[in-house]
């Protein structure tokens, strides 16, 4: 069972277009799939679920679609936070929130506070997030430490760097899922996905349900994760 699952929820637009609906209808339907997936992860004992809700590049979409997404985030937060807290789900956001409206910034901070004592599933929403942004902000933070004389540059290695990127306090993602048929990471968690198992499905995000999630978990269970070791080392057939 994966402890941490990270998902790129792709295919909302196509789901709507195929039905002759505006793309925004796909995003609304996508919220229902988010609800189903959160519930299924909590039920199956997943510890962390990270969802890519809005990438740094999504600002380039048509204005109407961007503002619909923003109001969808706001209304979803308002309507769901209490239910999340009741279900012991802790909500966290990663990404540069300074680009969001003050209202949305407040709502996200409030939602984090309201669920901070929850000890069940941690739901991470990546909003205005980009993997390269994450790596750059980590580099900037370390550079500031060095120039302030608090850190010797020789001490910066992968371990120290990794403590500066988002989600450093959580287990790394075990399983990455992308719906919608594209086989790309699209600037999601670049640093954190180093050893993550990748799973791609043709299913469009609004069609994703607990059966699809369990199928992805079953596929994950068949993988052998070697972390750079040989298969023999892992099965203990030869001495390391
Ligand atoms: C990608 O589909 C989806 C998005 C850019 C938005 C994802 C947002 C949601 C599922 C809604 C709300 C989420 C939360 C956490 C409240 P696409 O539009 O790129 O689809 P396409 O590839 O078919 O065009």
């Amino acid at each position: 069972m994966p402890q941490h699952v990270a998902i790129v929820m792709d295919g909302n637009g196509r789901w709507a277009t195929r039905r002759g609906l505006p793309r925004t209808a796909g995003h609304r339907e996508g919220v229902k799939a988010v609800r189903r997936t959160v519930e299924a992860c909590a039920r199956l004992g997943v510890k962390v679920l990270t969802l890519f809700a809005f990438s740094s590049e999504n600002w380039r979409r048509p204005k109407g679609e961007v503002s619909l997404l923003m109001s969808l985030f706001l209304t979803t937060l308002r309507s769901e936070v209490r239910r999340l807290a009741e279900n012991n789900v802790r909500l966290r956001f990663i990404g540069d929130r300074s680009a969001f409206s003050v209202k949305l910034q407040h709502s996200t901070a409030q939602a984090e506070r309201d669920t901070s004592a929850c000890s069940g599933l941690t739901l991470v929403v990546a909003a205005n997030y980009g993997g390269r942004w994450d790596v750059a902000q980590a580099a900037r933070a370390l550079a500031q430490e060095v120039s302030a004389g608090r850190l010797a540059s020789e001490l910066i290695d992968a371990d120290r760097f990794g403590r500066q990127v988002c989600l450093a306090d959580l287990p790394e993602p075990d399983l990455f899922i992308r719906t919608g048929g594209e086989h790309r990471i699209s600037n999601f968690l670049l640093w954190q996905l180093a050893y993550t198992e990748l799973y791609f499905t043709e299913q469009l995000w609004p069609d994703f349900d607990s059966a699809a999630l369990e199928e992805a978990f079953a596929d994950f269970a068949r993988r052998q994760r070697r972390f750079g070791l040989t298969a023999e080392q892992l099965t203990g057939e030869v001495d390391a």
Side-chain angles (χ1 to χ4, degrees):
M1 183 64 94
Q3 280 201 76
H4 182 170
V5 181
I7 308 185
V8 172
M9 311 178 287
D10 199 12
N12 293 348
R14 275 166 287 164
W15 182 93
T17 309
R18 280 177 201 174
R19 286 163 176 76
L21 299 168
R23 295 175 49 83
T24 49
H27 296 314
R28 290 185 204 283
E29 199 63 25
V31 175
K32 296 183 193 165
V34 168
R35 212 175 281 135
R36 285 197 295 270
T37 306
V38 171
E39 277 164 13
C41 283
R43 177 169 50 81
L44 295 166
V46 170
K47 299 232 172 356
V48 186
L49 171 64
T50 301
L51 300 176
F52 206 2
F54 195 85
S55 78
S56 329
E57 290 73 33
N58 285 151
W59 295 109
R60 295 202 291 258
R61 290 191 172 206
K63 245 183 163 169
E65 183 169 340
V66 171
S67 63
L68 177 283
L69 279 168
M70 293 300 144
S71 65
L72 208 53
F73 295 149
L74 205 56
T75 52
T76 308
L77 271 176
R78 285 185 180 154
S79 63
E80 303 288 326
V81 169
R82 193 190 309 175
R83 210 152 64 110
L84 290 174
E86 282 165 6
N87 287 289
N88 205 18
V89 177
R90 180 171 156 225
L91 195 55
R92 271 175 68 170
F93 292 86
I94 54 169
D96 180 6
R97 277 183 270 178
S98 66
F100 292 136
S101 70
V102 173
K103 233 197 289 189
L104 189 51
Q105 289 183 46
H106 279 157
S107 288
T108 54
Q110 186 67 43
E112 285 180 326
R113 276 196 298 275
D114 291 349
T115 60
S116 62
C118 297
S119 55
L121 175 73
T122 296
L123 172 60
V124 181
V125 176
N128 197 22
Y129 176 87
R132 289 178 176 176
W133 166 85
D134 193 357
V135 171
Q137 66 79 28
R140 192 186 322 120
L142 288 172
Q144 280 163 357
E145 289 292 294
V146 171
S147 66
R150 288 192 293 266
L151 176 67
S153 59
E154 304 76 51
L155 293 180
I156 301 176
D157 56 9
D159 189 54
R160 181 69 188 80
F161 198 96
R163 276 188 266 143
Q164 215 67 49
V165 296
C166 292
L167 310 182
D169 57 321
L170 297 172
E172 287 184 359
D174 301 295
L175 175 63
F176 163 98
I177 299 174
R178 181 174 185 141
T179 61
E182 312 282 2
H183 294 192
R184 282 194 290 272
I185 291 178
S186 295
N187 201 18
F188 197 21
L189 305 157
L190 297 180
W191 178 277
Q192 298 85 342
L193 292 176
Y195 285 103
T196 305
E197 294 295 327
L198 307 179
Y199 178 86
F200 300 95
T201 168
E202 291 295 317
Q203 230 164 2
L204 303 176
W205 178 250
D207 293 326
F208 200 77
D209 56 12
S210 62
L213 186 74
E214 289 186 50
E215 214 174 295
F217 286 5
D219 189 275
F220 172 80
R222 288 192 292 271
R223 311 266 181 107
Q224 187 188 47
R225 303 183 76 194
R226 297 212 295 264
F227 301 99
L229 301 177
T230 67
E232 291 74 20
Q233 282 176 305
L234 281 176
T235 52
E237 281 171 20
V238 293
D239 289 340

